[in-house]
Coordinates of all heavy atoms in Angstrom, one line a residue:
P392 N 66.2 26.2 -12.6 CA 67.1 25.2 -13.0 C 67.2 25.1 -14.5 O 66.2 25.2 -15.2 CB 66.6 23.9 -12.5 CG 65.5 24.2 -11.5 CD 65.1 25.6 -11.8
A393 N 68.4 25.0 -15.1 CA 68.6 24.8 -16.5 C 67.8 23.6 -16.9 O 67.8 22.6 -16.3 CB 70.0 24.7 -16.9
G394 N 67.0 23.8 -18.0 CA 66.1 22.7 -18.5 C 64.7 23.0 -18.3 O 63.8 22.4 -18.9
L395 N 64.4 23.9 -17.4 CA 63.0 24.3 -17.1 C 62.6 25.6 -18.0 O 63.5 26.5 -18.2 CB 62.7 24.7 -15.7 CG 62.4 23.6 -14.7 CD1 61.9 24.2 -13.4 CD2 61.3 22.7 -15.3
I396 N 61.4 25.5 -18.5 CA 60.9 26.7 -19.3 C 59.6 27.1 -18.6 O 58.8 26.2 -18.3 CB 60.7 26.3 -20.8 CG1 62.0 26.0 -21.4 CG2 60.0 27.4 -21.5 CD1 62.1 26.0 -22.9
G397 N 59.5 28.4 -18.4 CA 58.3 28.9 -17.8 C 57.6 29.9 -18.6 O 58.3 30.8 -19.2
C398 N 56.3 29.8 -18.7 CA 55.5 30.9 -19.5 C 54.2 31.0 -18.9 O 53.5 30.0 -18.6 CB 55.5 30.5 -20.9 SG 54.7 31.7 -22.0
D399 N 53.8 32.2 -18.6 CA 52.5 32.5 -18.0 C 51.6 33.2 -19.0 O 51.9 34.3 -19.4 CB 52.7 33.4 -16.8 CG 51.4 33.7 -16.0 OD1 50.6 32.8 -15.8 OD2 51.3 34.9 -15.6
P400 N 50.5 32.6 -19.4 CA 49.6 33.3 -20.3 C 48.9 34.5 -19.7 O 48.6 34.4 -18.5 CB 48.6 32.2 -20.7 CG 48.7 31.1 -19.7 CD 50.0 31.3 -19.0
G401 N 48.6 35.5 -20.5 CA 47.9 36.7 -19.9 C 48.9 37.7 -19.4 O 50.1 37.7 -19.8
P402 N 48.5 38.5 -18.5 CA 49.5 39.6 -17.9 C 50.6 38.9 -17.1 O 50.3 38.4 -16.0 CB 48.6 40.4 -17.1 CG 47.2 40.1 -17.3 CD 47.2 38.6 -17.8
A403 N 51.7 38.7 -17.7 CA 52.8 37.9 -17.1 C 53.8 38.7 -16.4 O 54.4 38.2 -15.4 CB 53.5 37.1 -18.2
L404 N 54.1 39.9 -16.9 CA 55.1 40.8 -16.2 C 54.4 42.2 -15.9 O 53.7 42.6 -16.8 CB 56.3 41.0 -17.1 CG 57.2 39.7 -17.2 CD1 58.1 39.8 -18.4 CD2 58.0 39.6 -15.9
A405 N 54.8 42.7 -14.8 CA 54.1 43.9 -14.3 C 54.5 45.2 -15.1 O 55.5 45.3 -15.7 CB 54.5 44.1 -12.9
A406 N 53.5 46.1 -15.1 CA 53.8 47.5 -15.5 C 54.7 48.1 -14.5 O 54.5 47.9 -13.3 CB 52.5 48.3 -15.7
T407 N 55.6 49.0 -14.9 CA 56.4 49.8 -14.0 C 56.2 51.2 -14.1 O 56.1 51.7 -15.3 CB 57.9 49.5 -14.2 OG1 58.2 48.2 -13.8 CG2 58.8 50.5 -13.3
D408 N 56.0 52.0 -13.0 CA 56.1 53.4 -13.1 C 57.2 53.8 -12.1 O 57.0 53.5 -10.9 CB 54.8 54.0 -12.7 CG 53.7 53.9 -13.7 OD1 53.7 54.7 -14.7 OD2 52.9 52.9 -13.7
A409 N 58.2 54.4 -12.5 CA 59.3 54.9 -11.7 C 59.1 56.4 -11.6 O 59.0 57.1 -12.6 CB 60.7 54.6 -12.2
L410 N 59.1 57.0 -10.4 CA 58.8 58.4 -10.2 C 59.9 59.0 -9.3 O 60.4 58.4 -8.4 CB 57.4 58.6 -9.5 CG 56.2 58.0 -10.1 CD1 55.0 58.1 -9.2 CD2 55.9 58.6 -11.4
K411 N 60.2 60.3 -9.7 CA 61.0 61.1 -8.8 C 60.1 62.2 -8.1 O 59.4 62.9 -8.8 CB 62.1 61.8 -9.6 CG 63.1 62.6 -8.7 CD 64.3 63.1 -9.5 CE 64.1 64.6 -9.7 NZ 65.3 65.2 -10.4
V412 N 60.2 62.2 -6.8 CA 59.4 63.2 -6.0 C 60.4 64.2 -5.4 O 61.3 63.8 -4.7 CB 58.6 62.5 -5.0 CG1 57.9 63.5 -4.1 CG2 57.6 61.5 -5.6
T413 N 60.1 65.5 -5.6 CA 60.9 66.5 -4.9 C 60.0 67.2 -3.9 O 59.0 67.7 -4.3 CB 61.5 67.5 -5.9 OG1 62.2 66.8 -6.9 CG2 62.5 68.4 -5.2
L414 N 60.4 67.2 -2.7 CA 59.7 67.9 -1.6 C 60.4 69.2 -1.3 O 61.6 69.2 -1.1 CB 59.6 67.0 -0.4 CG 58.9 65.6 -0.6 CD1 59.2 64.7 0.6 CD2 57.4 65.8 -0.8
Y415 N 59.6 70.2 -1.2 CA 60.2 71.6 -0.9 C 59.8 72.0 0.5 O 58.7 72.1 0.9 CB 59.6 72.6 -1.9 CG 60.0 72.3 -3.3 CD1 59.2 71.6 -4.2 CD2 61.3 72.6 -3.8 CE1 59.6 71.2 -5.5 CE2 61.7 72.3 -5.1 CZ 60.8 71.6 -5.9 OH 61.2 71.3 -7.2
G416 N 60.9 72.3 1.3 CA 60.7 72.8 2.6 C 61.3 74.2 2.7 O 61.3 74.9 1.7
K417 N 61.9 74.5 3.8 CA 62.6 75.8 4.0 C 63.9 75.5 4.9 O 63.7 75.0 6.0 CB 61.7 76.8 4.6 CG 62.3 78.2 4.8 CD 61.2 79.2 5.2 CE 61.8 80.6 5.4 NZ 62.4 80.7 6.8
G418 N 65.1 75.7 4.3 CA 66.3 75.4 5.0 C 66.6 76.4 6.2 O 66.1 77.6 6.1
A419 N 67.3 76.0 7.2 CA 67.7 76.8 8.3 C 68.8 76.2 9.1 O 69.1 75.0 8.8 CB 66.5 77.1 9.2
H420 N 69.3 76.9 10.1 CA 70.3 76.3 11.0 C 69.6 75.1 11.7 O 68.5 75.2 12.1 CB 70.8 77.4 12.0 CG 72.1 77.0 12.7 ND1 72.1 76.0 13.7 CD2 73.4 77.4 12.5 CE1 73.3 75.9 14.1 NE2 74.1 76.7 13.4
G421 N 70.4 74.1 12.0 CA 69.9 72.9 12.6 C 69.4 73.2 14.1 O 68.6 72.4 14.6
S422 N 69.9 74.3 14.7 CA 69.5 74.6 16.0 C 68.2 75.4 16.0 O 67.7 75.7 17.1 CB 70.6 75.5 16.7 OG 70.7 76.7 16.0
R423 N 67.7 75.8 14.9 CA 66.5 76.7 14.8 C 65.3 76.1 14.0 O 65.0 76.6 12.9 CB 66.9 78.0 14.3 CG 68.0 78.7 15.1 CD 68.1 80.2 14.8 NE 66.9 81.0 15.0 CZ 66.3 81.7 14.1 NH1 66.8 81.8 12.9 NH2 65.2 82.4 14.4
P424 N 64.7 75.0 14.5 CA 63.6 74.4 13.8 C 62.5 75.4 13.5 O 61.7 75.3 12.5 CB 63.2 73.3 14.7 CG 63.7 73.6 16.0 CD 65.0 74.3 15.8
E425 N 62.3 76.4 14.4 CA 61.2 77.4 14.2 C 61.4 78.2 13.0 O 60.4 78.8 12.5 CB 61.1 78.3 15.5 CG 62.2 79.3 15.6 CD 63.5 78.8 16.2 OE1 63.7 77.6 16.3 OE2 64.3 79.7 16.7
A426 N 62.6 78.3 12.4 CA 62.9 79.0 11.2 C 62.8 78.2 10.0 O 62.9 78.7 8.9 CB 64.3 79.7 11.3
A427 N 62.5 76.9 10.1 CA 62.6 75.9 9.0 C 61.2 75.3 8.7 O 60.3 75.3 9.6 CB 63.6 74.9 9.3
I428 N 61.1 74.8 7.5 CA 60.0 73.8 7.3 C 60.8 72.6 6.8 O 61.5 72.6 5.8 CB 59.1 74.3 6.2 CG1 58.3 75.5 6.6 CG2 58.1 73.2 5.8 CD1 57.6 76.2 5.5
D429 N 60.9 71.5 7.7 CA 61.9 70.5 7.5 C 61.5 69.4 6.5 O 60.5 68.6 6.7 CB 62.1 69.8 8.9 CG 63.3 68.9 8.9 OD1 63.7 68.5 7.8 OD2 63.8 68.6 10.0
P430 N 62.1 69.4 5.4 CA 61.8 68.4 4.3 C 62.2 67.0 4.7 O 61.7 66.0 4.1 CB 62.5 68.9 3.1 CG 63.7 69.6 3.7 CD 63.3 70.2 5.0
V431 N 63.1 66.8 5.7 CA 63.5 65.5 6.1 C 62.3 64.8 6.8 O 62.0 63.7 6.5 CB 64.7 65.5 7.0 CG1 65.0 64.2 7.6 CG2 65.9 66.1 6.2
V432 N 61.7 65.6 7.7 CA 60.5 65.0 8.4 C 59.4 64.8 7.4 O 58.6 63.8 7.5 CB 60.1 66.0 9.5 CG1 58.8 65.5 10.2 CG2 61.2 66.1 10.6
M433 N 59.2 65.7 6.5 CA 58.2 65.6 5.4 C 58.4 64.3 4.6 O 57.5 63.6 4.4 CB 58.3 66.8 4.5 CG 57.0 67.2 3.8 SD 57.4 68.5 2.5 CE 58.0 69.9 3.5
A434 N 59.7 64.1 4.3 CA 60.0 62.9 3.5 C 59.7 61.6 4.3 O 59.2 60.6 3.8 CB 61.5 62.9 3.0
A435 N 60.1 61.6 5.6 CA 59.9 60.5 6.4 C 58.4 60.2 6.6 O 58.0 59.0 6.4 CB 60.5 60.7 7.8
A436 N 57.6 61.2 6.8 CA 56.2 61.0 6.9 C 55.6 60.5 5.6 O 54.7 59.6 5.6 CB 55.5 62.3 7.3
T437 N 56.1 61.0 4.5 CA 55.6 60.6 3.2 C 55.9 59.1 3.0 O 55.1 58.3 2.5 CB 56.2 61.4 2.1 OG1 55.9 62.8 2.4 CG2 55.7 61.1 0.7
V438 N 57.2 58.7 3.3 CA 57.6 57.3 3.1 C 56.7 56.4 3.9 O 56.2 55.3 3.4 CB 59.0 57.1 3.4 CG1 59.4 55.6 3.5 CG2 60.0 57.8 2.5
M439 N 56.4 56.7 5.1 CA 55.6 55.9 6.0 C 54.2 55.8 5.5 O 53.6 54.7 5.4 CB 55.6 56.4 7.4 CG 57.0 56.2 8.1 SD 57.7 54.5 7.9 CE 56.6 53.6 8.9
R440 N 53.6 56.9 5.1 CA 52.2 57.0 4.6 C 52.1 56.2 3.3 O 51.0 55.6 3.1 CB 51.8 58.4 4.4 CG 50.4 58.6 4.1 CD 49.5 58.7 5.3 NE 48.1 58.5 4.9 CZ 47.1 58.5 5.8 NH1 47.3 58.6 7.1 NH2 45.9 58.2 5.4
L441 N 53.1 56.2 2.5 CA 53.1 55.5 1.2 C 52.9 54.0 1.4 O 52.4 53.3 0.6 CB 54.3 55.8 0.3 CG 54.4 57.2 -0.3 CD1 55.7 57.4 -1.0 CD2 53.3 57.3 -1.4
Q442 N 53.4 53.5 2.6 CA 53.2 52.1 2.9 C 51.8 51.6 3.0 O 51.5 50.5 2.9 CB 54.0 51.7 4.2 CG 55.4 52.1 4.2 CD 56.2 51.7 3.0 OE1 56.2 50.6 2.6 NE2 56.9 52.7 2.4
T443 N 50.9 52.6 3.2 CA 49.5 52.2 3.3 C 48.8 52.1 2.0 O 47.6 51.7 1.9 CB 48.7 53.3 4.2 OG1 48.7 54.5 3.4 CG2 49.4 53.5 5.5
V444 N 49.4 52.5 0.9 CA 48.7 52.5 -0.4 C 48.4 51.0 -0.8 O 47.2 50.7 -1.0 CB 49.6 53.1 -1.5 CG1 48.9 52.9 -2.9 CG2 49.9 54.6 -1.3
V445 N 49.4 50.2 -0.8 CA 49.1 48.8 -1.1 C 48.3 48.1 0.0 O 47.3 47.3 -0.3 CB 50.4 48.0 -1.4 CG1 50.2 46.5 -1.7 CG2 51.1 48.6 -2.6
S446 N 48.7 48.3 1.2 CA 48.0 47.6 2.3 C 46.6 48.0 2.6 O 45.7 47.2 3.0 CB 48.9 47.7 3.6 OG 48.8 49.0 4.1
R447 N 46.3 49.3 2.4 CA 45.0 49.8 2.8 C 44.1 50.3 1.6 O 42.9 50.7 1.8 CB 45.2 51.0 3.8 CG 45.9 50.7 5.0 CD 45.1 49.8 6.0 NE 45.2 48.4 5.5 CZ 44.3 47.4 5.9 NH1 43.3 47.7 6.7 NH2 44.5 46.2 5.5
E448 N 44.6 50.4 0.4 CA 43.8 50.9 -0.7 C 43.6 50.0 -1.8 O 42.7 50.2 -2.7 CB 44.4 52.2 -1.2 CG 44.5 53.3 -0.1 CD 44.7 54.7 -0.7 OE1 44.2 55.0 -1.8 OE2 45.5 55.5 -0.1
I449 N 44.4 48.9 -1.9 CA 44.3 47.9 -3.0 C 43.7 46.6 -2.5 O 44.0 46.1 -1.4 CB 45.7 47.7 -3.6 CG1 46.3 49.0 -4.1 CG2 45.6 46.7 -4.8 CD1 45.5 49.8 -5.1
A450 N 42.7 46.1 -3.3 CA 42.0 44.9 -2.9 C 43.0 43.8 -2.7 O 44.0 43.6 -3.4 CB 41.0 44.6 -3.9
G451 N 42.6 42.9 -1.7 CA 43.5 41.7 -1.4 C 43.8 40.8 -2.5 O 44.8 40.2 -2.6
G452 N 42.8 40.8 -3.5 CA 43.0 39.9 -4.6 C 43.9 40.5 -5.8 O 44.2 39.8 -6.7
E453 N 44.2 41.7 -5.6 CA 45.0 42.4 -6.7 C 46.5 42.4 -6.2 O 46.8 42.2 -5.1 CB 44.5 43.8 -6.9 CG 43.1 44.0 -7.3 CD 42.9 43.6 -8.8 OE1 43.9 43.3 -9.5 OE2 41.7 43.6 -9.2
T454 N 47.4 42.7 -7.2 CA 48.8 42.8 -6.9 C 49.3 44.2 -7.2 O 49.0 44.7 -8.3 CB 49.6 41.7 -7.7 OG1 49.1 40.5 -7.4 CG2 51.1 41.8 -7.3
A455 N 50.0 44.7 -6.2 CA 50.7 46.0 -6.5 C 51.9 46.0 -5.6 O 51.9 45.4 -4.5 CB 49.8 47.2 -6.2
V456 N 53.0 46.6 -6.1 CA 54.2 46.8 -5.2 C 54.6 48.3 -5.3 O 54.5 48.9 -6.4 CB 55.4 46.0 -5.8 CG1 56.6 46.2 -4.9 CG2 55.1 44.5 -5.8
L457 N 54.9 48.9 -4.2 CA 55.3 50.3 -4.2 C 56.6 50.3 -3.3 O 56.5 50.0 -2.1 CB 54.2 51.2 -3.6 CG 54.4 52.7 -3.8 CD1 53.1 53.4 -3.4 CD2 55.6 53.3 -3.0
T458 N 57.7 50.6 -3.9 CA 59.0 50.7 -3.2 C 59.5 52.1 -3.3 O 59.6 52.6 -4.4 CB 60.0 49.7 -3.8 OG1 59.5 48.3 -3.5 CG2 61.4 49.8 -3.2
V459 N 60.0 52.6 -2.1 CA 60.7 53.8 -2.1 C 62.2 53.4 -2.1 O 62.7 52.9 -1.1 CB 60.4 54.7 -0.9 CG1 61.2 56.0 -1.0 CG2 58.9 55.1 -0.8
G460 N 62.8 53.5 -3.3 CA 64.2 53.0 -3.4 C 65.3 54.0 -3.2 O 66.4 53.6 -3.0
A461 N 64.9 55.3 -3.1 CA 65.9 56.3 -2.8 C 65.3 57.4 -2.0 O 64.1 57.7 -2.2 CB 66.5 56.9 -4.1
L462 N 66.0 57.9 -1.0 CA 65.5 59.0 -0.1 C 66.8 59.8 0.2 O 67.7 59.4 0.8 CB 65.0 58.3 1.2 CG 64.1 59.2 2.1 CD1 63.6 58.3 3.2 CD2 64.9 60.3 2.7
N463 N 66.8 61.0 -0.4 CA 68.0 61.8 -0.2 C 67.6 63.2 0.2 O 66.8 63.9 -0.4 CB 68.7 61.9 -1.6 CG 69.3 60.6 -2.0 OD1 70.1 60.0 -1.3 ND2 68.8 60.0 -3.1
A464 N 68.3 63.7 1.2 CA 68.2 65.1 1.7 C 69.4 65.4 2.6 O 69.9 64.6 3.3 CB 66.9 65.2 2.5
G465 N 69.7 66.7 2.5 CA 70.7 67.2 3.4 C 72.1 66.8 3.2 O 72.5 66.0 2.4
T466 N 73.0 67.6 3.9 CA 74.5 67.3 3.8 C 75.2 67.3 5.1 O 76.2 66.7 5.2 CB 75.1 68.5 3.0 OG1 74.7 69.7 3.7 CG2 74.7 68.5 1.6
K467 N 74.6 67.8 6.2 CA 75.3 68.0 7.4 C 74.3 68.0 8.6 O 73.2 68.4 8.5 CB 76.0 69.3 7.4 CG 77.2 69.5 8.3 CD 78.0 70.8 8.0 CE 79.1 70.9 9.0 NZ 78.7 71.1 10.4
D468 N 74.8 67.5 9.8 CA 73.9 67.4 10.9 C 73.3 68.6 11.4 O 72.1 68.7 11.9 CB 74.7 66.8 12.1 CG 75.9 67.6 12.5 OD1 76.8 67.8 11.6 OD2 75.9 68.2 13.5
N469 N 73.9 69.8 11.2 CA 73.4 71.0 11.8 C 72.8 72.0 10.8 O 72.7 73.2 11.0 CB 74.4 71.7 12.7 CG 75.6 72.2 11.9 OD1 75.7 71.9 10.7 ND2 76.5 72.9 12.5
I470 N 72.4 71.4 9.6 CA 71.8 72.2 8.6 C 70.4 71.5 8.3 O 70.4 70.3 7.9 CB 72.6 72.3 7.3 CG1 73.9 73.0 7.6 CG2 71.8 73.1 6.2 CD1 74.9 72.9 6.4
I471 N 69.3 72.2 8.4 CA 68.1 71.7 7.9 C 68.0 72.0 6.4 O 68.1 73.2 6.0 CB 66.9 72.3 8.7 CG1 67.0 71.9 10.1 CG2 65.6 71.8 8.0 CD1 66.0 72.7 11.0
P472 N 67.9 71.0 5.5 CA 68.0 71.3 4.1 C 66.7 71.9 3.6 O 65.7 71.9 4.3 CB 68.3 69.9 3.5 CG 67.7 69.0 4.4 CD 67.8 69.6 5.8

Side-chain angles (χ1 to χ4, degrees):
L395 274 192
I396 295 200
C398 185
D399 184 40
L404 287 162
T407 291
D408 289 277
L410 304 173
K411 183 174 107 174
V412 173
T413 309
L414 300 168
Y415 296 96
K417 181 167 177 282
H420 196 286
S422 67
R423 298 194 64 233
E425 74 278 17
I428 298 168
D429 191 342
V431 173
V432 176
M433 209 188 299
T437 303
V438 171
M439 292 311 291
R440 184 88 197 178
L441 286 172
Q442 307 310 308
T443 66
V444 174
V445 174
S446 68
R447 300 292 79 200
E448 300 197 36
I449 301 303
E453 300 286 355
T454 302
V456 178
L457 193 168
T458 293
V459 181
L462 193 174
N463 294 299
T466 53
K467 198 171 182 297
D468 58 293
N469 64 354
I470 301 171
I471 298 169

